[in-house]
Amino acid sequence: MGDMANLFETGRFAQPSDQDEAADEAQEAADEAAEEVRRRLAAEAGDVEAMSVLGAMLLRRGDFDGAESHLRAATAAGDRAAANNLGVLLHQRGYADEAAGWWRIAAVAGSAPAAHALGRHFRERGDEPAAEYWLRQAAEQGHVLGAYALADLLEHRGDEAGARRWMRAAAERGHREAAYRLARTLDRNAGHRRDGRDEGDTEAADEAEQWYRQAAARGHRRAALHLGTILEKRGELKEAGRWYLTSAKDGEARAACALGFLLRDAGDTESAAVWWLRAAQDGDGNAANALGALHAERGETQTAERWYRAAMDAGDDNGAYNLGLLCADQGRTTQAEQWYRRAAYAGHREASNALAILLLRSGDETGAEPWFSKAAEAGSVDAAFNLGILHAGRGEERAALRWYERAASAGHTEAAVQVGMARLRDGDEREAERFLRCAAGGGSAEAAYRLATVLDARRPPAPEHELGEPAHEKSECEEWYERAASQGHRRAQVRVGMMAAARGDVVEAARWYREAAEAGSRNGAFNLGLLLAREGSEPEAVVWWRRAADAGHGRAALRLALVCARRGELAEGQRWADLAVSLGPREVGERAARLRDALRQELSA
């Protein structure tokens, strides 16, 4: 065995070549010619089987005249295969009724192919009972095409159970279209019950995948597309890409488009563009939109517009919507409205919402509201939220709350915040907490802060430690304050700073106060000033109090007045005291007024 391997590797054994393949084809042709000669001699000698086989050979070659005489002779001698083939020949020549007669003879004699052909003949003429009878005869004899045709007929008549049974039978015998259609049926049935999915639905989905896989393996391009989609949803991107590629190479535009998105998500934009181009040229509007978006990102607006128009011409309403977005970005408001309207009239809900926003910004609230309503009724969550804002602006709180609730139930975070705050105003704290938790969990810093304040108000006084030191365990409200603070919520940052200061963590408190103050929080600036003053950094404290006072913080102005009075800067102190009186609150104003009067007397003395 080793010697053979060595000889093979050295090339001393002949390798297959193009010449060898040509020689093989020539040999096959010679063998077929020799077989035909043998069959012809046997047929001339009266061999019925030879007549039938020779007729079939000539029929496959397209020699109808030569085939017919041999098939008729074999049929007259009782050969059912010849009767079936004679029917095929006559059908191809346009003599359908005569063909059906011969198929009937062959089918009665037990020919499954003839029964299938006869069933197809009756179905083409609208005689479904006769078609079902003969197709069932073929299917029950194990004829694959008969089983598939019977399943197709039963599905057309609404007999789902019967259709599935025979579709499965055809699929199990290797019929790829039957495997695909069986998978589609199982997939649809599982999808219809997806909200309340049970173990049976999972089994149906798994079985659908197996049939997609079998059909795809036999070269069914749409099955390969669906299989790729299933795998992509499951996160098996490598295998999904392989099936998309198989389908795309076979000419499935949707697979080429899906492959483009897969490549884009993997960072290979150039390859993605190649597949999108191929799909778009085959009429896929989604791929044309993707190309338009790609060129728009690159600043190539003219090319982007061309592809958006191609998407629109392919029947994809997203093309008109994207053209509207492109024009709006360029400040071409009139054209943007035109394209939004075109997409909106076609039922594009996001275009309806965008059109309404455009009209609202131009002052046409009356024209905007119907488009918001149309988009919201079509399922646009943003439009429902926008309707809430519209009604709230008019003081129509009930209508606003109704739309906010609708948007919140669909997962709109800001709408949930609005519903939560409305419930707080109504005194329904439990319901408010529910909506605020949803919004906070969705990433809303305002909701996290509001939720923290609700929980904070319920919090009992902190227990005292045995040694007289307060024991501290982080509560849920503190966690929500911190989440809001980490998202940049200024009031939450001040609150977290206050809690840190209460624990004695000066460094942490200063960090949060400073972050809030630098973001424009006057309370953060005032508290940071207090902290710095206590730590002996009064000059820096004055800087932050000044910033807070300039922003309207009365206590900061009073602190500055006291600092100036202590330093002997009486006129400056009086100025800050005057500001504190005007800013308040009342107790601050009263103290500031007394200080101002004292400073005035000191100045006049």
Side-chain angles (χ1 to χ4, degrees), residues 153-420:
L153 176 62
L154 294 174
E155 184 177 82
H156 172 72
R157 286 166 52 176
D159 183 357
E160 293 184 7
R164 189 181 301 184
R165 174 196 168 195
W166 288 109
M167 200 69 78
R168 189 184 300 276
E172 288 172 348
R173 291 180 174 87
H175 195 289
R176 70 179 189 182
E177 185 65 26
Y180 170 71
R181 289 180 62 176
L182 177 60
R184 292 292 293 148
T185 300
L186 292 167
D187 207 3
R188 281 193 298 270
N189 291 342
H192 290 161
R193 302 188 296 268
R194 194 156 288 150
D195 290 340
R197 193 162 181 169
D198 56 23
E199 186 177 344
D201 299 329
T202 304
E203 290 176 0
D206 291 342
E207 186 182 2
E209 181 182 340
Q210 293 306 313
W211 287 116
Y212 278 137
R213 196 175 290 276
Q214 289 197 31
R218 295 183 183 118
H220 197 292
R221 68 186 191 186
R222 283 174 294 164
L225 168 65
H226 285 285
L227 180 57
T229 304
I230 291 170
L231 293 166
E232 183 180 2
K233 287 179 180 177
R234 207 158 62 211
E236 299 176 20
L237 303 183
K238 187 174 181 179
E239 189 179 359
R242 188 164 67 248
W243 286 112
Y244 283 148
L245 180 61
T246 299
S247 180
K249 284 182 175 178
D250 286 341
E252 181 61 51
R254 290 175 296 169
C257 181
L259 180 58
F261 282 111
L262 209 60
L263 290 165
R264 182 204 62 183
D265 293 343
D268 189 355
T269 308
E270 295 305 319
S271 296
V274 170
W275 287 105
W276 282 333
L277 178 61
R278 182 166 174 173
Q281 288 173 338
D282 288 339
D284 190 284
N286 195 22
N289 271 313
L291 281 172
L294 183 63
H295 288 289
E297 287 173 7
R298 295 172 177 173
E300 301 165 356
T301 55
Q302 289 185 340
T303 306
E305 185 169 338
R306 180 168 62 84
W307 282 114
Y308 287 148
R309 287 179 182 273
M312 192 171 56
D313 292 342
D316 193 324
D317 297 330
N318 278 316
Y321 173 59
N322 287 330
L323 276 170
L325 292 174
L326 191 67
C327 292
D329 287 342
Q330 295 172 339
R332 296 154 58 193
T333 308
T334 303
Q335 292 92 330
E337 182 180 341
Q338 171 195 342
W339 293 118
Y340 285 150
R341 283 189 184 277
R342 179 164 180 170
Y345 279 123
H348 195 291
R349 65 188 189 189
E350 298 309 325
S352 299
N353 183 54
L355 175 60
I357 292 171
L358 200 67
L359 294 170
L360 192 62
R361 286 175 178 168
S362 66
D364 187 3
E365 184 176 314
T366 303
E369 186 173 355
W371 287 111
F372 276 138
S373 297
K374 183 175 182 179
E377 295 297 343
S380 171
V381 180
D382 288 334
F385 179 64
N386 288 335
L387 274 172
I389 295 173
L390 198 66
H391 286 290
R394 298 173 184 163
E396 300 165 359
E397 298 299 333
R398 287 183 177 274
L401 183 58
R402 186 171 66 250
W403 286 110
Y404 284 146
E405 286 177 339
R406 183 164 178 172
S409 65
H412 196 288
T413 300
E414 293 306 316
V417 175
Q418 295 301 320
V419 175

